[in-house]
Amino acid sequence: MLELNKSGTDRSGPGRLPAQGPGPDARPVGDAPREGAAAERVPLRPYLVAGAILCALYFLYAYLQYNRFGSPSWDLGIFEQEVRAYAGFDAPVVDIKGPGYLILGDHFSPIVALLAPLYWLWPSAESLLFAQAALFALGAVIVGRTTQQLLGGRSGLCVTVAYGLSWGIQEAVKADFHEIAFAVPLLALVCRALLLKRYTTALLWSLPLVLVKEDLGATVAVVGFLLFVYGRRLQGALLAAFGVAAFVVTLMVLIPAASSAGTYDYWQKIDKNGEQDVSMLDSVLGVLNSSVKIEMLVFLIGITAFMALRSPLTLLIVPTLGWRLLSQDSNHWGMVWHYSAILMPVLFLALADGVRRSRDSRRPWLASYAKVAVPVAAAIAVAMTQHLPLRDLLRPETYRTDDARSRAARAALDAIPAGARVETDITLMAHLTSDRTVYWVGGAPGTAPDFVAINLDFGWSRPIQDPVAYAQQLHPEASYRLKHRGGSFVVMERTSPEPAEIPGVRGD
């Protein structure tokens, strides 16, 4: 990336011979290896094996959580409705967010349409979970192999482990599917290209990021800034301008045009704290006003043994961290959910770059630390895993997907015929979206769905004593009867107006 040995001559450290031109393993110390030679020296197979193992672990965790009816939010159901619409060549309407709600008016993530072919083969929320596991694992392959090209030895596999077990990735796996899964390998490819001085390639890989999520245009602008700093001034300036333009147009034009409200709803995350207005100055002054934020920042850099601070690549995390720290929503600050996943490939390739830059440092302590930073980062990741989601794979109860609660949930699903319109909570939601029209409970007034299915143990603000009365309270325009009750799961069927006939389904 940046030339550390500006004189063009090789400096030999203790016990290191100067690089020789014709030698098969020779390369200038402190500089990136030549592209073709580097690729030849680093085998792909070990990283594909490591990636396959990580993919299996990620998917196993997500699959077991799904089959235990343990989805932590409504997002998996939302994304399945979106992908299902794309797979049917329809507009991405997500009824969970509201009847007829166009999801591009919420977050701008058209790249999700790429999952449509997979959904044709596997029309289930599980296909999305598998896709995310594969994309995260692909990031590990890119990060690990690039690290070995830069540092040699076994550093690549160590960083593969550190990245693969990093808390940002594990928490994203636990949070079910999100569109940011596409950004993880894309950012890994961008950083790889920058480190190997393939600047045009870095530019091209960064372009699709604007289709992943609306805020990533700002990240693309930072890629342009780095290209400008590295000497590709025209490319860098054009890419930075493109990133800024994409960011502004998406937030100010595209999302409001698709939104029924005609605006970008998430501005409120910055300028409102509950019902209280917050000025931009107060938001800026409050970026570090919480121990949760400070803890997140420490652990972000700490997982790289703090060596990421030695690399300019770390600038790529600033836009994402910026909106998260400005947000008044505490969900954005901490180490849970999926928000940190896109930072992981950047930070771990910044670790590799930082080690490379520090090996020949004139500060002896830094050069010595650089020799152990990679295994230290791997040890940190392994040690932290005992408190992270994948630890559950070592617990026998994780594999019990046929317990009483799960059986009751499946019985409730069986009581709702395919093709029906159903209003439900998070527990059953992602299990219904593949072949029913699904609404969020309380989010579809006036629709009189065919069924209302709820988990009485969901965590309601007030316990539901009479489920039928609750269904009729949600939809006073209709009448409902109790169709099924098992465990904490209750299914109410509409009796009037007369339930619409569902093609291919016979009445009880």
Side-chain angles (χ1 to χ4, degrees):
M1 197 164 64
L2 293 178
E3 294 185 12
L4 300 182
N5 186 3
K6 296 187 181 295
S7 66
T9 60
D10 295 327
R11 292 189 302 173
S12 300
R16 185 187 302 160
L17 294 176
Q20 302 295 322
D25 297 324
R27 63 179 175 88
V29 175
D31 198 3
R34 288 178 299 178
E35 299 174 15
E40 290 173 5
R41 286 199 299 270
V42 178
L44 179 60
R45 181 177 296 176
Y47 295 96
L48 291 178
V49 172
I53 293 171
L54 288 171
C55 179
L57 290 175
Y58 299 153
F59 179 64
L60 178 61
Y61 181 94
Y63 172 83
L64 292 171
Q65 179 174 257
Y66 174 80
N67 276 276
R68 294 195 315 271
F69 294 85
S71 292
S73 76
W74 63 354
D75 290 329
L76 182 57
I78 286 174
F79 282 105
E80 185 179 3
Q81 283 192 336
E82 181 179 4
V83 173
R84 181 184 174 190
Y86 284 128
F89 300 100
D90 295 322
V93 169
V94 173
D95 291 307
I96 291 172
K97 294 282 290 184
Y101 188 95
L102 188 61
I103 196 62
L104 295 179
D106 184 55
H107 288 302
F108 189 74
S109 306
I111 200 168
V112 172
L114 294 178
L115 294 178
L118 176 61
Y119 197 79
W120 294 336
L121 301 174
W122 190 0
S124 167
E126 293 162 304
S127 65
L128 277 64
L129 299 175
F130 176 78
Q132 177 167 270
L135 289 166
F136 285 168
L138 176 59
V141 172
I142 298 165
V143 168
R145 191 162 183 263
T146 303
T147 298
Q148 186 168 339
Q149 287 179 244
L150 295 174
L151 304 180
R154 297 177 181 174
S155 56
L157 289 175
C158 282
V159 170
T160 301
V161 171
Y163 162 91
L165 297 181
S166 63
W167 60 264
I169 296 295
Q170 290 200 47
E171 291 293 348
V173 170
K174 182 179 179 179
D176 285 337
F177 178 85
H178 289 87
E179 73 290 303
I180 53 89
F182 287 96
V184 169
L186 284 174
L187 282 167
L189 288 165
V190 169
C191 293
R192 170 185 169 83
L194 289 173
L195 292 175
L196 298 182
K197 300 184 180 181
R198 303 173 185 176
Y199 297 130
T200 301
T201 302
L203 182 151
L204 294 175
W205 279 123
S206 67
L207 295 178
L209 287 170
V210 301
L211 303 178
V212 176
K213 202 172 181 182
E214 61 274 6
D215 62 292
L216 288 176
T219 302
V220 172
V222 177
V223 177
F225 171 76
L226 290 175
L227 289 176
F228 187 89
V229 170
Y230 297 157
R232 295 300 179 99
R233 304 204 169 207
L234 179 59
Q235 283 184 332
L238 290 175
L239 184 61
F242 169 77
V244 171
F247 179 77
V248 172
V249 170
T250 303
L251 266 63
M252 299 295 187
V253 180
L254 297 180
I255 291 179
S259 171
S260 57
T263 186
Y264 179 57
D265 292 339
Y266 293 93
W267 291 127
Q268 298 181 35
K269 297 289 186 180
I270 295 175
D271 60 23
K272 282 188 179 296
N273 187 354
E275 297 299 321
Q276 182 180 359
D277 292 335
V278 179
S279 69
M280 180 56 72
L281 177 60
D282 288 336
S283 295
V284 172
L285 294 176
V287 293
L288 295 178
N289 63 354
S290 168
S291 60
V292 176
K293 295 179 180 180
I294 296 172
E295 178 187 63
M296 176 190 69
L297 293 176
V298 170
F299 276 92
L300 274 175
I301 305 302
I303 56 173
T304 69
F306 296 96
M307 289 302 294
L309 293 173
R310 294 277 296 163
S311 172
L313 287 184
T314 306
L315 291 174
L316 290 172
I317 74 174
V318 171
T320 297
L321 280 182
W323 71 257
R324 290 177 63 187
L325 295 176
L326 288 172
S327 173
Q328 304 302 313
D329 187 344
S330 60
N331 288 314
H332 294 151
W333 304 343
M335 297 171 61
V336 295
W337 300 108
H338 59 287
Y339 302 108
S340 295
I342 64 172
L343 308 180
M344 297 298 109
V346 175
L347 288 169
F348 281 100
L349 284 175
L351 158 67
D353 187 35
V355 169
R356 179 179 65 168
R357 290 168 176 273
S358 302
R359 281 179 167 178
D360 298 313
S361 173
R362 295 177 181 177
R363 288 168 282 187
W365 68 267
L366 183 57
S368 298
Y369 182 59
K371 296 176 182 178
V372 300
V374 168
V376 166
I380 291 172
V382 172
M384 287 186 66
T385 296
Q386 65 178 319
H387 304 293
L388 292 172
L390 291 184
R391 171 66 176 82
D392 291 346
L393 294 179
L394 301 178
R395 296 188 171 104
E397 59 268 24
T398 300
Y399 299 88
R400 295 172 187 154
T401 59
D402 196 36
D403 59 303
R405 179 180 177 275
S406 298
R407 289 195 299 270
R410 293 189 184 95
L413 294 177
D414 292 340
I416 305 169
R421 296 182 306 122
V422 55
E423 189 169 339
T424 189
D425 58 68
I426 290 169
T427 314
L428 298 176
M429 184 174 287
H431 295 262
L432 291 165
T433 44
S434 63
D435 56 3
R436 287 96 160 176
T437 300
V438 180
Y439 306 112
W440 166 245
V441 63
T447 59
D450 304 313
F451 296 89
V452 175
I454 57 176
N455 174 13
L456 297 175
D457 291 341
F458 172 62
W460 308 98
S461 57
R462 288 186 294 179
I464 298 174
Q465 304 294 343
D466 187 341
V468 174
Y470 179 71
Q472 294 185 178
Q473 177 185 340
L474 292 173
H475 299 284
E477 72 278 10
S479 297
Y480 287 86
R481 70 175 179 89
L482 182 65
K483 180 178 182 181
H484 170 83
R485 182 163 190 165
S488 64
F489 294 91
V490 184
V491 178
M492 282 73 66
E493 181 181 28
R494 194 184 73 195
T495 58
S496 67
E498 190 68 22
E501 182 178 349
I502 303 170
V505 177
R506 293 180 296 178
D508 293 338

